Amino acid sequence: MDNWLKSPWVIRFISLALAILLFTTVSLSENSRQSADTGVGDFWSSSDETQVLDDIPVNIQIDQEKYVVSGVPSTVSVTLQGPNSSVTSTSTQRNFDVFVDLEGFDPGTYMVELEHSGISNNLDVYIEPKEVEVTIEERAVDQYDITVDYINEDQIEPGFEVVEGTTNPVQVTITSSKNVIEKIATVKVFVNLQGVDEPIDGREVPVKVYDSEGNELNNARIEPSVVEVTVDVQSPSKVVPIEVTTTGEVQDGITINTITPNLSEVRIFAPEDVLATIEEIETEPLDLTGITEVSTVQLQLNVPSEIRKIETEQVEVSIQLDRTAERVFNLPIEIQNLTEEYSLTFIEPAEGEMDLTVLGLEEEIGNLSEEDLQLSINLDGRQTEEEFEIPVEINAPEGINFEPEYRNIVVRLEQS
């Protein structure tokens, strides 16, 4: 036996075997250390798998009738490592839970780890984030009336206005911490009025909660979170007459006969209180100084700023006119009621006749003759010799304007 051990070949063989054993031991030890460093645990074979599952919901274990918890993410990412079959089955079925266990915690702020249940023990599980900061507060519940507010109210269709907005239901129940509940100042829904030209019936609108400074409070549960909104939209209007206004004077020799707009009235749209104050709509002034013939012009309507809409903003105005003329007639002065025993002498005018200037429309003046006009004085039976002044009486067709050479003349009565 001693001779066998003293053989150099035996010693070499034993040394080689020890070297191989030592190398294998060191390799296995290194692999085991690397596995520990990656957090996977023991050495696994090439049949193992790693899979990341996103959007895994997080449950909160606490008396939710008593407390409200903030800071817990709604979802997390879960990484599974282990045998293919187990990873595939778990990721497909997703019949496991991720949660934070807050049972027995009092109100306050804590750092807590996320836990899981329902996952096979032969899988390594990593949750991201691993821990979260949570705040536990006492739960509070209250009811609030809903206010309807409007956006783009200035972009509602012209002529329309909002009468009233209502919600169904008229109240919501809000659940949150006492701190949040105490901050609630208003609960609103917003209705966009852009382009609205008819009533809104049952439009679904989300409910918003605000504090006294107008900041939206998001960490509150609103029931229901969406309500139906009905908005009564009307278009008050009335019909008013159109009044054509003028400025300036027509030229000599021209008379305006009629000024007639193509529309005698127009419908206007405005709030009821504004409509009550408007009795007519005027045009921009028509300048008469430039009118020399029958014509038609376009005039803008002067629309008060309170009017939201008007059927038309301009009218067509027809202008009818006549030209005036004048003619001078030299007419004898007739004597009326002169008694037989007296005679009359004209002193001024000595000829017993005078000029009568007649003014009127060209057509009417052109058809006049001396037979249509008479001048006379009425002595009314005077029987005294004297020289006196007496008014001249003028007889002319109706509607004719005239200018006599004398309003009064001087005559003398003498006994025959």
Side-chain angles (χ1 to χ4, degrees):
M1 180 67 179
D2 292 337
N3 291 332
W4 180 73
L5 291 173
K6 292 179 180 178
S7 172
W9 289 104
V10 172
I11 294 173
R12 289 172 185 158
F13 177 78
I14 293 172
S15 298
L16 178 61
L18 290 174
I20 293 173
L21 178 62
L22 178 62
F23 175 78
T24 302
T25 302
V26 171
S27 296
L28 289 174
S29 176
E30 179 66 21
N31 287 337
S32 177
R33 185 186 64 79
Q34 289 178 356
S35 297
D37 289 342
T38 59
V40 175
D42 297 332
F43 176 81
W44 71 90
S45 68
S46 59
S47 62
D48 287 351
E49 180 183 358
T50 299
Q51 190 167 143
V52 178
L53 307 180
D54 294 321
D55 300 324
I56 302 301
V58 179
N59 298 317
I60 302 173
Q61 294 183 357
I62 197 171
D63 184 356
Q64 297 192 15
E65 294 298 321
K66 186 176 180 181
Y67 299 108
V68 172
V69 179
S70 59
V72 178
S74 58
T75 62
V76 293
S77 295
V78 175
T79 301
L80 303 176
Q81 290 181 335
N84 271 332
S85 59
S86 297
V87 170
T88 302
S89 174
T90 303
S91 63
T92 301
Q93 298 177 12
R94 297 199 179 199
N95 56 353
F96 62 89
D97 293 321
V98 175
F99 60 91
V100 287
D101 186 0
L102 302 177
E103 296 288 353
F105 281 66
D106 293 324
T109 300
Y110 308 91
M111 290 296 298
V112 296
E113 287 193 6
L114 280 81
E115 303 178 54
H116 63 84
S117 63
I119 299 178
S120 172
N121 291 331
N122 65 347
L123 293 178
D124 293 309
V125 181
Y126 309 96
I127 301 173
E128 180 61 36
K130 183 179 180 180
E131 61 180 9
V132 293
E133 183 178 78
V134 300
T135 299
I136 303 172
E137 298 176 274
E138 291 186 12
R139 179 189 184 93
V141 180
D142 207 346
Q143 288 188 321
Y144 295 86
D145 293 332
I146 305 172
T147 300
V148 180
D149 210 341
Y150 306 102
I151 57 176
N152 295 322
E153 193 166 1
D154 59 337
Q155 296 181 37
I156 193 171
E157 283 297 298
F160 291 86
E161 67 176 6
V162 173
V163 178
E164 184 183 19
T166 58
T167 64
N168 181 29
V170 297
Q171 284 188 330
V172 291
T173 300
I174 298 179
T175 303
S176 189
S177 66
K178 283 186 177 181
N179 181 46
V180 171
I181 292 295
E182 289 171 355
K183 290 181 180 179
I184 295 175
T186 56
V187 177
K188 292 184 178 182
V189 292
F190 292 92
V191 179
N192 188 353
L193 296 179
Q194 183 178 14
V196 169
D197 60 0
E198 62 182 1
I200 297 172
D201 186 17
R203 178 186 293 181
E204 291 190 344
V205 181
V207 181
K208 304 290 184 180
V209 180
Y210 298 90
D211 63 17
S212 59
E213 296 180 354
N215 301 310
E216 185 175 357
L217 302 175
N218 295 312
N219 50 343
R221 189 175 72 190
I222 308 169
E223 296 180 349
S225 60
V226 175
V227 297
E228 292 184 349
V229 179
T230 298
V231 181
D232 186 12
V233 177
Q234 294 184 358
S235 182
S237 67
K238 80 173 184 179
V239 176
V240 294
I242 295 174
E243 180 68 22
V244 179
T245 62
T246 62
T247 184
E249 299 288 341
V250 293
Q251 300 177 13
D252 291 341
I254 296 177
T255 300
I256 298 295
N257 190 4
T258 59
I259 299 176
T260 309
N262 65 326
L263 296 175
S264 61
E265 55 189 17
V266 65
R267 181 175 294 277
I268 58 175
F269 299 81
E272 294 286 1
D273 57 338
V274 174
L275 292 176
T277 65
I278 299 177
E279 298 300 328
E280 63 182 21
I281 294 294
E282 295 183 347
T283 66
E284 62 179 330
L286 170 65
D287 187 2
L288 299 180
T289 58
I291 303 299
T292 59
E293 58 187 18
V294 173
S295 57
T296 300
V297 298
Q298 298 286 337
L299 294 181
Q300 290 293 124
L301 297 178
N302 288 330
V303 183
S305 59
E306 299 88 352
I307 292 179
R308 289 194 294 263
K309 181 182 177 182
I310 188 169
E311 278 184 329
T312 181
E313 295 186 354
Q314 66 178 17
V315 292
E316 187 177 89
V317 178
S318 175
I319 305 163
Q320 301 294 324
L321 54 82
D322 291 304
R323 296 185 179 276
T324 59
E326 65 177 46
R327 288 179 63 188
V328 179
F329 293 86
N330 185 262
L331 301 173
I333 302 172
E334 299 178 4
I335 304 169
Q336 297 180 355
N337 297 317
L338 177 63
T339 57
E340 292 181 357
E341 60 268 26
Y342 285 86
S343 62
L344 182 137
T345 303
F346 289 96
I347 306 300
E348 181 68 31
E351 299 82 6
E353 58 186 33
M354 70 176 191
D355 291 341
L356 180 66
T357 301
V358 179
L359 307 171
L361 300 179
E362 283 184 343
E363 183 178 353
E364 295 177 353
I365 296 299
N367 294 329
L368 283 179
S369 66
E370 292 186 358
E371 287 74 18
D372 297 319
L373 306 169
Q374 292 86 37
L375 305 179
S376 64
I377 56 174
N378 188 356
L379 298 176
D380 198 22
R382 285 194 182 210
Q383 296 184 352
T384 58
E385 292 186 5
E386 59 181 335
E387 186 175 300
F388 57 91
E389 190 175 279
I390 187 170
V392 179
E393 297 180 4
I394 303 171
N395 184 25
E398 187 176 353
I400 297 296
N401 296 318
F402 47 79
E403 185 65 35
E405 185 179 359
Y406 301 98
R407 293 289 178 181
N408 298 299
I409 63 173
V410 179
V411 298
R412 184 173 59 244
L413 276 179
E414 296 176 329
Q415 195 168 8
S416 300

